[in-house]
């Protein structure tokens, strides 16, 4: 054998050993690098891909009775890479109809509240504790909260927001696992799986109670300050 052949033989042996090693690690799947990046097939997907996969799962959810009366599942909407997540209570009539969160009267106010702190709806991600409308907008039942929050927690895990704004008592209570009142929940900055969480009044509550606007303004200004500090 000349030198050339010996080198080729070594190379083939190296490749063989490498493939054996890969097979031990991953079984029969062959992982191929994409272009020059580190990315490989079967790699954990991007946030939009993971969120979309979750959406496909949730849109046919039948884990509670609300699936019988809903028209649409309201998964949530916005930027999958958002730093800020807004979490409301449950879809209302208009949301149920359109399949989108906060598109009714409360949603219009929410858009204005966001604009007041220089945020567009598309920049944040907006979701709810419940993905389906409770008939007549009744309060979500304990069983519904418990069942549905699993979907929300997966969304939070995928998006990994730095900030969470809980809108209203129900969102605050479910996320913080407490029975505290809105009065008690407001004003503090909580930790939620590494995100800073603030609770403020629900925009629908603000439409009925103008006197809570000032407190809400203070809460969202606090959120803006924390957010701008984080970005520095
Ligand atoms: N109220 C909510 O809590 N969520 C919506 O999506 C709409 C109204
Ligand atoms: N009660 C609620 O359910 N939400 C509010 O925002 C305030 C009081």
């Amino acid at each position: 054998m000349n030198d050339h052949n010996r080198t080729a033989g070594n190379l083939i042996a190296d490749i063989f050993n490498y493939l054996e090693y890969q097979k031990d690690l991953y079984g029969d799947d062959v992982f191929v690098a994409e272009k020059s990046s580190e990315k490989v097939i079967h790699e954990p997907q991007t946030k939009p891909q993971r969120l979309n996969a979750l959406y496909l799962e949730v849109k046919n959810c039948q884990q509670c009775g609300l699936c019988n009366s809903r028209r649409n599942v309201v998964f949530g909407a916005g930027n999958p890479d958002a730093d800020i997540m807004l979490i409301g209570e449950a879809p209302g009539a208009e949301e149920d109809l359109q399949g989108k969160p906060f598109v009714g009267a409360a949603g219009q106010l929410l858009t204005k509240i966001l604009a007041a702190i220089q945020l567009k709806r598309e920049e944040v991600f907006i979701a709810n504790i419940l993905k389906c409308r409770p008939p007549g907008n009744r309060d979500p039942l304990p069983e519904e909260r418990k069942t549905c929050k699993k979907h929300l927690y997966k969304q939070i895990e995928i998006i990994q927001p730095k900030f969470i704004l809980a809108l209203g008592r129900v969102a605050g209570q479910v996320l913080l696992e407490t029975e505290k009142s809105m009065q008690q929940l407001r004003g503090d900055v909580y930790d939620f799986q590494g995100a800073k969480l603030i609770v403020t009044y629900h925009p629908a509550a603000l439409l009925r109670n103008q006197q809570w606007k000032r407190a809400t303004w203070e809460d969202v200004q606090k959120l803006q300050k924390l957010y701008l500090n984080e970005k520095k």
Side-chain angles (χ1 to χ4, degrees):
M1 233 199 283
N2 62 27
D3 274 3
H4 215 82
N5 281 345
R6 201 160 21 243
T7 311
N10 286 344
L11 190 60
I12 288 165
D14 282 348
I15 292 170
F16 186 82
N17 286 339
Y18 173 76
L19 289 174
E20 279 288 316
Y21 169 68
Q22 291 291 309
K23 192 173 170 180
D24 284 343
L25 280 180
Y26 305 114
D28 286 327
D29 282 341
V30 176
F31 291 77
V32 182
E34 265 179 18
K35 299 208 174 125
S36 60
S37 82
E38 299 281 353
K39 276 197 194 154
V40 288
I41 297 166
H42 301 287
E43 194 203 16
Q45 299 165 310
T46 62
K47 288 182 186 186
Q49 286 170 332
R50 292 179 64 199
L51 213 51
N52 196 49
L54 182 62
Y55 164 70
L56 294 177
E57 194 184 306
V58 172
K59 87 180 172 96
N60 296 314
C61 180
Q62 303 203 343
Q63 289 176 36
C64 86
L66 295 180
C67 68
N68 297 316
S69 52
R70 74 171 179 230
R71 285 195 241 199
N72 284 294
V73 168
V74 181
F75 179 71
N79 177 4
D81 282 309
D83 284 331
I84 302 176
M85 257 183 103
L86 270 53
I87 300 173
E89 178 174 322
E94 196 56 36
E95 289 78 22
D96 178 53
L97 214 57
Q98 295 190 34
K100 296 195 190 107
F102 283 100
V103 287
Q108 282 166 24
L109 178 55
L110 183 60
T111 305
K112 284 189 201 158
I113 292 170
L114 286 173
I117 54 167
Q118 275 78 52
L119 287 172
K120 294 197 185 80
R121 284 175 71 114
E122 308 79 62
E123 289 174 70
V124 301
F125 195 94
I126 306 178
N128 285 302
I129 300 291
L130 293 198
K131 305 299 185 227
C132 298
R133 183 191 183 206
N137 298 347
R138 63 157 169 73
D139 272 5
L141 302 175
E143 199 51 40
E144 292 162 355
R145 297 174 198 212
K146 191 166 159 238
T147 306
C148 206
K149 82 175 181 184
K150 284 181 265 174
H151 299 318
L152 176 67
Y153 281 30
K154 283 189 199 161
Q155 289 177 302
I156 296 172
E157 196 213 304
I158 292 169
I159 297 167
Q160 303 257 325
K162 296 193 176 84
F163 301 94
I164 295 175
L165 183 62
L167 300 168
R169 178 177 50 84
V170 170
Q173 286 181 341
V174 172
L175 289 166
L176 296 169
E177 296 185 324
T178 173
E179 296 291 310
K180 283 184 184 169
S181 69
M182 190 64 207
Q183 298 270 18
Q184 294 170 305
L185 287 169
R186 263 201 68 239
D188 284 326
V189 180
Y190 304 89
D191 175 83
F192 185 90
Q193 297 176 11
K196 292 191 174 76
L197 185 152
I198 288 175
V199 186
T200 194
Y201 289 106
H202 192 290
L206 290 183
L207 289 173
R208 297 187 299 265
N209 304 277
Q210 300 277 329
Q211 74 273 20
W212 290 337
K213 279 198 171 162
R214 174 159 196 106
T216 305
W217 176 233
E218 286 167 10
D219 294 338
V220 295
Q221 275 188 310
K222 183 193 275 184
L223 172 70
Q224 182 189 32
K225 218 168 144 191
L226 291 170
Y227 173 60
L228 293 177
N229 263 329
E230 176 91 22
K231 287 223 295 189
K232 264 186 208 156

